[in-house]
Amino acid sequence: MPKAPHNHLSFYSVGISYKKADAGMRGMFALSSTAIENLVDDAKKGRSPSLAVISTCNRTELYGFASCADDLISLLCEHSHGSAEDFQKIGNIYEGDAANRHLFLVGTGLDSQILGDFEIIGQLKMAFRRSKKIGMLNAYMERLINAVIQASKRIKTETRLSSGATSVSFASVQYILNEVEHGNEKRILLFGTGKIGRNTCENLIKHTHNKKITLINRTKDRAERVAGKFDLIVKDYAELEEEIAGTDIMIVATGAQNPTVAKNLIVTNRPLLILDLSIPRNVDMDVSELENVKLIHLDELSVMTDQALQNRNRFIPEAKEIIETIITEFDTWQESRKFAPTMLALKSKFSAFKEAEIKSNRTKINNFNQEQADVIADRIIQKIAGHFANHLRDEDVNTQEAIELLNKVFKLDAQHLVLHE
């Protein structure tokens, strides 16, 4: 089991996901960008030496080192609206190799609500980059996320798991195409132009060729930037109620922490389809009380997959084979990392032997050549150390027992056995 370089901490993945937590519960544990920053800053005050946090519509998870999982669970609960009691019912805890494997499955889209969702790897990159920037990413986790990124790239290029579009935003477009008659001719209002909103807009244009799309965002200039790319209409936030009254389909992706659309905003009796792509829910459930409104949440969209998505199941074995290859490479690095401090201490001990012998014989040998003695001794030290390293790499050798034997035989200084990052 991998240990952190400080105080024998273990690597954990703790969090909640769509698998056991419904939209309401995911909303309770959801973290805004500010909340994530505060959580990591809090962890930096002695609660974890290395931590990365991700919060998406499908999951909120912490990846990091701690003395026990409860330390990370406490951080999550303190900075979200979730409770420890709720977490016990719907939370996931992975430790050591299991945590590594879980991160690989998440990062490659195999654990996504929509199989093959490759947007998640970008969100993971951002999370780990954010931690590295403030000194909260150790060498172990940096190596791990790079391995996950490598696996994601290989799966995307070497398998057809990523064929077609894969995301919640694409699922919403698929729903319109499959369930709404003449969906490409309907008036569509997109409320919210963050990442999900932008992706939804792009998928709408690409797959429906519908140009009757209006964008509204609290910050109008952001909506205008998106609209300019596709030559769409932008309206002021103050016109939201009026625009809802004149639309056929409303897609909500505001990313707010509280509902932004409620029953009182809907003043029309005409049929209205509302697709809520947000966690927490951005559309109040009270809109369902209106007979003319049909409300669909992203959890419902995610199970309405087309044949192309179902066909992706055939490529799961290929994807997992790639993951296993890269996990094996990571495990090899991890194993070598265990004895790296011992090898450093051993070389230091040999160098001390060398210096003592040279000093002792410098005056005893006529025409003693210090430079030649250093070169020869260093080569011998390198060859002996190489033999020890090869022995420790041997898969038939119990690495920990061999390390302990070397430490005992050569009386290596215990402080050299800590690998500093």
Side-chain angles (χ1 to χ4, degrees), residues 70-334:
D70 285 344
D71 292 347
L72 300 184
I73 295 169
S74 294
L75 277 168
L76 173 58
C77 294
E78 288 168 22
H79 292 271
S80 70
H81 297 293
S83 68
E85 291 76 20
D86 287 332
F87 187 91
Q88 292 303 318
K89 298 172 187 173
I90 48 89
N92 299 309
I93 301 173
Y94 302 95
E95 181 180 4
D97 293 336
N100 294 345
R101 192 169 295 275
H102 175 67
L103 184 57
F104 270 93
L105 293 177
V106 171
T108 54
L110 289 179
D111 196 65
S112 295
Q113 195 167 22
I114 296 180
L115 179 64
D117 183 352
F118 279 89
E119 288 182 8
I120 186 68
I121 191 62
Q123 294 161 327
L124 281 172
K125 284 181 187 177
M126 188 182 302
F128 279 72
R129 192 181 301 128
R130 177 171 49 226
S131 292
K132 183 177 181 180
K133 190 175 181 180
I134 63 170
M136 280 293 286
L137 194 70
N138 64 19
Y140 180 94
M141 285 181 58
E142 185 167 10
R143 182 79 176 222
L144 179 61
I145 190 59
N146 285 335
V148 173
I149 292 169
Q150 181 188 359
S152 175
K153 287 179 179 177
R154 283 192 56 186
I155 289 172
K156 196 168 186 178
T157 56
E158 297 175 26
T159 78
R160 294 179 60 194
L161 189 72
S162 61
S163 58
T166 57
S167 64
V168 169
S169 57
F170 176 65
S172 65
V173 176
Q174 280 294 107
Y175 181 84
I176 292 171
L177 289 172
N178 296 336
E179 305 296 330
V180 179
E181 190 175 358
H182 306 302
N184 60 331
E185 299 174 5
K186 300 293 184 181
R187 285 171 290 185
I188 300 175
L189 171 62
L190 178 60
F191 181 31
T193 52
K195 184 170 183 179
I196 292 178
R198 292 195 306 273
N199 290 343
T200 301
C201 188
E202 191 164 341
N203 280 320
L204 280 169
I205 298 295
K206 180 178 179 180
H207 298 287
T208 71
H209 306 290
N210 188 332
K211 288 285 186 162
K212 292 186 286 188
I213 302 172
T214 300
L215 308 184
I216 292 181
N217 195 68
R218 287 180 181 273
T219 308
K220 190 176 181 180
D221 61 345
R222 176 181 285 183
E224 288 173 338
R225 286 196 297 272
V226 176
K229 182 179 178 181
F230 302 108
D231 191 26
L232 303 176
I233 299 169
V234 176
K235 293 289 186 177
D236 290 320
Y237 176 64
E239 300 176 83
L240 180 59
E241 184 176 314
E242 180 183 343
E243 288 302 315
I244 292 175
T247 197
D248 301 305
I249 302 170
M250 182 182 188
I251 301 174
V252 182
T254 55
Q257 293 301 301
N258 297 298
T260 52
V261 176
K263 184 169 68 171
N264 64 306
L265 271 177
I266 303 171
V267 294
T268 178
N269 292 320
R270 61 185 306 183
L272 174 63
L273 169 64
I274 301 180
L275 305 178
D276 185 0
L277 310 187
S278 306
I279 291 289
R281 291 179 183 270
N282 282 185
V283 180
D284 198 305
M285 291 298 292
D286 67 1
V287 303
S288 298
E289 298 170 9
L290 299 172
E291 293 183 3
N292 61 310
V293 175
K294 182 175 184 180
L295 173 62
I296 302 289
H297 189 257
L298 66 86
D299 281 358
E300 298 167 82
L301 288 172
S302 298
V303 298
M304 298 173 182
T305 54
D306 63 353
Q307 189 62 41
L309 287 174
Q310 292 173 18
N311 286 338
R312 292 200 182 107
N313 288 305
R314 295 186 292 127
F315 306 111
I316 291 177
E318 291 178 46
K320 286 188 173 179
E321 190 174 332
I322 291 171
I323 289 174
E324 289 304 320
T325 298
I326 296 177
I327 284 180
T328 299
E329 293 171 359
F330 180 79
D331 287 345
T332 300
W333 171 82
Q334 180 184 326

